[in-house]
């Protein structure tokens, strides 16, 4: 029974609950047409575990650490530039490929367009992988300065710092005609280093490094020195002319844009050790945060023991296997009981390659039993064998 329930994770979107269906409306019927060959049964579908996250809006839940941080950043901008930035935090995450890629000059071959990296609902519609998707529509609507916060979706590996849904703040600001590029770059850098000092303290060491984003030029990344290492905290730059043109901005107007990941900042600021905790409803987690207090450190309530299991399989030479598909299945079937997945062995024999992945099962909230993990791991093996182009060993 448990097993059958879990195997329905990838059920067709037509069986998604009415609340989720309302979210996508016109797109859902198209989404029912999935490819049926083995290699694409996982790719090209949005699992239920992801749809369930679409309505969560953690960044809008008061007292949630992501909301506390979001509001601190918004308040900082409001204080520095009174009444300048429009704030948006409820823009729909269901966007078009045109908006997501073409508007932003992302080339046709860019990896973010691949269904191994992005959650497509149908050929032209997807769950936004970054908040920058809203820049061009807002510019077209006449906005000149805005700060956006929302949930973004990416297929990725499973570990303590990656989760398929996370949150970003993205911003853009246009300047009056004729403002020099040097002035705009200075304004961008001083706004962002001001924000970093506000959040991490005036003593924090930081540095600018060259960045590369299709929609900005020049582009920069800000890194802060935290616990003995340089940590990238945001990307930014001058908005490319082509993007401004897509937004119907006149040719003598320039502007900057930046984007940052809220979880990464929150994990550092609040000392939250595992990204899955943001999704926890455990009051031992949620009750530790207070409005307006972004300096509070999280006190882990317990470290529950882990259970490790390996899974090995063969893939053929021409295989369409992609590691992200495997991570996606593990994440979806295990409902947050997996802390990490890592490849521990890979070797080639004749025309085939053997891969071995180690899965660390650990709940954030309770001790796991060997019986339940054996059952879960068996369902995982079964599901992998059925849906991926692999042969279990
Ligand atoms: N969208 C980028 C990402 O998700 C981050 C980013 C970089 C946003 C530069 C921006 C920008 O607005 O100007 O990785």
């Amino acid at each position: 029974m448990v097993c059958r329930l879990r195997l329905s994770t990838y059920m067709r979107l037509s069986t998604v609950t009415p609340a989720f269906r309302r979210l996508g409306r016109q797109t859902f019927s198209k989404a029912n047409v999935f490819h049926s060959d083995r290699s694409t049964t996982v790719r090209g579908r949005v699992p239920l575990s992801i749809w369930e996250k679409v309505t969560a809006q953690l960044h809008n839940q008061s007292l949630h650490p992501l909301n506390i941080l979001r509001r601190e950043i918004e308040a900082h901008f409001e204080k520095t530039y009174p009444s300048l930035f429009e704030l948006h935090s409820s823009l729909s995450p269901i966007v078009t490929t045109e908006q997501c890629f073409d508007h932003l000059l992302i080339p046709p071959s860019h990896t973010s367009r691949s269904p191994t990296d992005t959650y497509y609902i149908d050929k032209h519609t997807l769950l936004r992988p970054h908040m920058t998707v809203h820049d061009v529509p807002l510019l077209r609507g006449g906005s000149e300065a805005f700060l956006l916060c929302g949930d973004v979706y990416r297929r990725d590996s499973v570990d303590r710092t990656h989760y398929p849904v996370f949150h970003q703040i993205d911003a853009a600001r246009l300047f009056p005609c004729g403002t020099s590029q040097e002035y705009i770059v200075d304004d961008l850098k001083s706004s962002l280093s001001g924000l970093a000092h506000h959040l991490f303290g005036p003593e924090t060491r930081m540095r600018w490094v060259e960045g590369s984003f299709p929609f900005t030029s020049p582009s920069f990344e800000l890194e802060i020195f935290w616990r003995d290492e340089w940590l990238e905290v945001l990307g930014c730059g001058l908005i490319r002319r082509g993007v401004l043109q897509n937004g119907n901005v006149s040719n003598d107007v320039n502007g900057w844009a930046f984007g940052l990941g809220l979880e990464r900042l929150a994990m550092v600021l609040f000392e939250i050790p595992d990204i899955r905790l943001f999704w926890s409803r455990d009051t031992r987690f949620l009750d530790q945060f207070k409005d307006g207090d972004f300096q509070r450190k999280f006190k882990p309530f317990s470290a529950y023991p882990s259970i490790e299991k390996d899974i090995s399989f063969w893939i053929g030479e021409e295989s369409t296997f992609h590691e992200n598909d495997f991570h996606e299945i593990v994440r979806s079937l295990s409902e947050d009981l997996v802390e990490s997945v890592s490849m521990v062995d890979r070797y080639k024999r004749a025309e085939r390659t053997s891969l071995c992945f180690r899965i660390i099962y650990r709940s954030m909230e309770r001790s796991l039993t060997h019986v339940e993990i054996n059952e879960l791991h068996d369902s995982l093996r079964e599901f992998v064998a059925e849906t991926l182009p692999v042969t279990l060993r």
Side-chain angles (χ1 to χ4, degrees):
M1 183 59 190
V2 171
C3 171
R4 210 165 300 126
L5 256 177
R6 292 220 164 92
L7 293 183
S8 67
T9 306
Y10 288 91
M11 68 171 87
R12 285 167 181 269
L13 290 176
S14 55
T15 55
V16 168
T17 58
F20 296 126
R21 208 168 315 130
R22 272 198 301 278
L23 264 169
R25 278 195 201 106
Q26 71 284 16
T27 58
F28 274 67
S29 54
K30 284 188 212 147
N32 292 337
V33 188
F34 293 119
H35 300 286
S36 57
D37 66 291
R38 267 161 56 88
S39 62
T40 54
T41 50
V42 173
R43 223 175 278 163
R45 290 188 184 202
V46 179
L48 275 184
S49 58
I50 297 296
W51 279 118
E52 281 162 10
K53 306 278 190 301
V54 172
T55 47
Q57 300 277 298
L58 298 183
H59 59 290
N60 287 330
Q61 267 174 36
S62 71
L63 298 184
H64 192 279
L66 296 175
N67 178 264
I68 295 170
L69 180 55
R70 171 200 134 199
R71 293 204 286 137
E72 195 57 41
I73 295 172
E74 289 173 355
H76 176 79
F77 273 90
E78 181 56 28
K79 202 167 152 212
T80 320
Y81 304 100
S83 307
L84 181 67
F85 287 89
E86 281 172 27
L87 303 180
H88 296 271
S89 63
S90 302
L91 297 169
S92 168
I94 298 173
V95 300
T96 63
T97 45
E98 187 191 24
Q99 187 182 346
C100 186
F101 304 120
D102 306 323
H103 282 175
L104 295 171
L105 316 179
I106 294 176
S109 58
H110 198 275
T111 150
S112 64
R113 289 189 185 247
S114 163
T116 57
D117 289 47
T118 293
Y119 291 105
Y120 280 83
I121 297 168
D122 64 24
K123 216 168 155 234
H124 306 289
T125 322
L126 40 75
L127 289 176
R128 67 186 166 208
H130 61 164
M131 287 302 289
T132 320
V133 299
H134 300 290
D135 287 11
V136 165
L138 285 167
L139 293 171
R140 282 185 187 171
S143 299
E144 294 181 351
F146 46 84
L147 207 56
L148 321 173
C149 184
D151 36 333
V152 299
Y153 299 79
R154 289 186 198 173
R155 290 181 194 272
D156 216 328
S157 48
V158 177
D159 63 36
R160 282 166 175 257
T161 57
H162 291 92
Y163 202 82
V165 189
F166 59 103
H167 298 76
Q168 287 186 330
I169 285 193
D170 213 274
R173 180 183 177 190
L174 299 183
F175 287 77
C177 295
T179 310
S180 74
Q181 297 216 345
E182 290 72 32
Y183 181 91
I184 299 175
V185 170
D186 276 357
D187 183 84
L188 171 66
K189 288 187 169 175
S190 62
S191 306
L192 292 174
S193 47
L195 174 67
H197 277 138
H198 174 67
L199 294 177
F200 295 102
E203 306 298 316
T204 307
R205 286 169 64 199
M206 58 180 84
R207 68 181 184 191
W208 289 100
V209 296
E210 206 179 302
S212 168
F213 304 102
F215 29 89
T216 49
S217 175
S219 305
F220 312 97
E221 285 172 2
L222 179 62
E223 297 184 342
I224 58 163
F225 198 69
W226 187 262
R227 302 243 163 102
D228 302 331
E229 58 173 345
W230 287 102
L231 189 73
E232 182 210 318
V233 289
L234 58 84
C236 63
L238 289 198
I239 307 170
R240 273 190 197 271
R241 176 63 44 211
V243 175
L244 293 170
Q245 277 167 349
N246 288 337
N248 299 335
V249 173
S250 77
N251 273 338
D252 43 10
V253 168
N254 276 305
W256 57 239
F258 75 82
L260 57 81
L262 274 188
E263 274 82 349
R264 169 170 284 208
L265 283 186
M267 286 177 84
V268 171
L269 276 174
F270 299 113
E271 297 183 358
I272 294 174
D274 191 306
I275 197 165
R276 286 176 294 164
L277 277 164
F278 291 106
W279 294 91
S280 169
R281 297 199 182 109
D282 193 320
T283 49
R284 288 171 300 172
F285 173 72
L286 291 169
D287 288 354
Q288 292 199 28
F289 301 96
K290 275 219 159 64
D291 250 352
D293 184 358
F294 64 96
Q295 267 146 7
R296 176 170 293 249
K297 303 298 173 215
F298 168 67
K299 290 190 201 68
F301 32 88
S302 186
Y304 294 101
S306 63
I307 299 180
E308 288 185 17
K309 298 261 171 216
D310 289 353
I311 176 169
S312 310
F313 42 78
W314 292 107
I315 55 172
E317 209 160 24
E318 305 282 301
S319 176
T320 52
F321 173 79
H322 192 289
E323 225 181 299
N324 280 358
D325 294 341
F326 176 67
H327 283 259
E328 169 88 358
I329 288 177
V330 177
R331 179 80 84 184
S332 303
L333 292 195
S334 69
E335 290 163 5
D336 282 3
L337 295 184
V338 170
E339 177 177 282
S340 68
V341 178
S342 51
M343 197 191 292
V344 288
D345 192 33
R346 178 189 185 111
Y347 67 87
K348 214 170 160 191
R349 178 164 303 158
E351 255 98 78
R352 299 194 297 178
T353 301
S354 164
L355 302 179
C356 176
F357 288 91
R358 177 146 309 149
I359 301 180
I360 302 187
Y361 293 92
R362 190 201 307 269
S363 164
M364 308 297 309
E365 289 153 10
R366 63 187 176 83
S367 285
L368 299 172
T369 67
H370 282 275
V371 173
E372 71 176 316
I373 293 307
N374 286 342
E375 198 180 314
L376 178 54
H377 196 71
D378 286 346
S379 339
L380 173 69
R381 286 177 60 85
E382 208 180 297
F383 198 69
V384 164
E386 269 178 26
T387 55
L388 294 181
V390 305
T391 309
L392 288 186
R393 300 190 50 196

